[in-house]
Amino acid sequence: MVAVMSISLPRSRSGVLRRSELLADGLSSGEIERLRRAGRILRLRRGRYRDPADGPVTAEAAHALAARAAVGDVAADAVFGHVTAAVLLGLPVWSVPLRRVHIIRARGGGGRIRPALHVHPAPLPAEDVVELGALRLTSPARTVADLARTLPEDRALVIADGALGLAGSSADDGVPRPGATTRSEIAAVLDRQPRSRGRSAAARVVDFADGRSGSPGESLSRLGMRRAGLPAPILQYPVPGTSYRCDFGWPDHGIVGEFDGRGKYGRLVGPDADPETAGRLVWREKRREDRIRATGLIVVRWTWPDIGAPGPHGMVGLLHEALR
């Protein structure tokens, strides 16, 4: 009997190890099961695994792997859609459940929800389908439209902002990013769905969406401002006399706003942080804020917990006080 730890696993470009590939590589069914029990392979779905040596994965990356693992198990006419398409397209999916892989089939009925799979029956014109490598999925515009119809406003806005933001940027080689779309393209999809449930809510999300929101936190902050009746800010406001931009600006009031997300500091925070490097970052941020204040602007800052926090120390309270 070959020791489990000495077994070499085949490489997979997709990150998915199929049982058939492992068997073809000379492993027996018993050895595959022992590899799974020993943690040498991790089960994605029946007959599909991944090698943990490929490194840790985020929830989004795990969902993308689950989608790739489902290829061959779903119907030939199935197209990945909804949050699965959003993940595959690289769109931000803040607080959206990723337990199930979502597919769309162009038929009038037969939708079903299983523990790991959600099948949506819906019209699927050819212009709403794109290919990403070997995968077929809904276009960025159709993906945003479907999610804007079916998700709560805040989650839908994060995705719509992200898709519009990608339309304004390109990869290093100048090629448009896969998830990029425009407001008019999303509106065209909604126009083809005049009687679909949630269409009015989706249209409101798309109308408010703005690609200049640089992160989910900025999108949610902007939504919180609107709900509180605050004046609409200028996004990515260029501070006069400096090379800096602030997330939000109210120049008529002499105020700028900054959302401080933990992701901004990457690995410079947390138990493995380098104190010296973190200290330099904090110093640079302090100098930046001092220079912004030197122009006469009031700087209001908030973090994730502050966005929806009530009272004078929440984002809305801080901005109300500064604007007053």
Side-chain angles (χ1 to χ4, degrees):
M1 182 182 296
V2 180
V4 167
M5 299 307 294
S6 65
I7 295 176
S8 296
L9 297 174
R11 296 291 93 196
S12 172
R13 293 179 61 184
S14 68
V16 178
L17 294 171
R18 297 175 180 270
R19 179 181 175 85
S20 57
E21 295 171 341
L22 296 174
L23 291 171
D25 206 51
L27 298 181
S28 67
S29 297
E31 287 170 334
I32 294 173
E33 179 60 19
R34 288 194 292 275
L35 285 170
R36 186 191 67 79
R37 290 179 179 177
R40 283 288 315 282
I41 55 175
L42 303 178
R43 185 178 185 272
L44 295 170
R45 59 188 291 119
R46 185 173 181 177
R48 308 288 191 275
Y49 309 91
R50 81 172 185 89
D51 186 350
D54 290 340
V57 296
T58 63
E60 291 83 1
H63 188 81
L65 281 172
R68 293 187 176 94
V71 174
D73 292 344
V74 298
D77 65 339
V79 171
F80 292 112
H82 292 258
V83 69
T84 302
V87 168
L88 294 170
L89 290 167
L91 299 178
V93 289
W94 172 78
S95 201
V96 181
L98 298 176
R99 179 183 176 186
R100 296 183 178 92
V101 169
H102 291 250
I103 63 171
I104 298 176
R105 298 189 66 188
R107 55 186 185 178
R112 63 184 186 274
I113 300 176
R114 293 178 177 174
L117 183 69
H118 189 157
V119 180
H120 303 259
L124 201 60
E127 59 263 39
D128 286 354
V129 180
V130 298
E131 292 186 0
L132 191 64
L135 304 177
R136 297 176 69 241
L137 56 149
T138 50
S139 68
R142 172 63 184 266
T143 301
V144 173
D146 283 345
L147 291 171
R149 288 190 304 99
T150 56
L151 288 178
E153 182 182 33
D154 52 358
R155 293 157 177 78
L157 180 64
V158 166
I159 294 168
D161 280 357
L164 296 184
L166 289 178
S169 64
S170 299
D172 294 338
D173 57 4
V175 177
R177 299 182 186 276
T181 190
T182 64
R183 196 186 314 276
S184 61
E185 289 172 340
I186 304 170
V189 172
L190 292 174
D191 287 343
R192 294 197 296 269
Q193 304 173 339
R195 298 182 180 179
S196 58
R197 174 182 289 185
R199 184 188 179 282
S200 297
R204 290 192 294 270
V205 167
V206 174
D207 184 61
F208 185 61
D210 196 311
R212 292 173 296 173
S213 282
S215 68
E218 292 177 37
S219 298
L220 297 171
S221 296
R222 192 161 55 87
L223 181 60
M225 295 170 196
R226 187 186 70 170
R227 288 175 172 175
L230 293 172
I234 296 174
L235 304 186
Q236 304 305 319
Y237 175 67
V239 178
T242 76
S243 60
Y244 303 129
R245 288 181 178 269
C246 289
D247 300 332
F248 307 93
W250 294 264
D252 292 344
H253 299 270
I255 296 168
V256 293
E258 291 274 77
F259 166 71
D260 289 332
R262 183 182 178 91
K264 174 180 180 180
Y265 301 98
R267 296 184 178 181
L268 299 180
V269 295
D272 299 325
D274 176 1
E276 182 177 350
T277 306
R280 287 197 299 269
L281 175 65
V282 172
W283 174 245
R284 285 200 302 270
E285 284 294 307
K286 181 182 184 304
R287 290 188 65 190
R288 175 180 179 276
E289 182 164 329
D290 288 344
R291 289 170 179 171
I292 293 173
R293 292 183 188 278
T295 67
L297 291 170
I298 297 172
V299 180
V300 181
R301 308 184 77 100
W302 61 89
T303 61
W304 271 108
D306 302 326
I307 293 176
H313 301 298
M315 178 196 72
V316 170
L318 292 170
L319 288 173
H320 264 307
E321 178 64 22
L323 291 167
R324 188 172 59 192

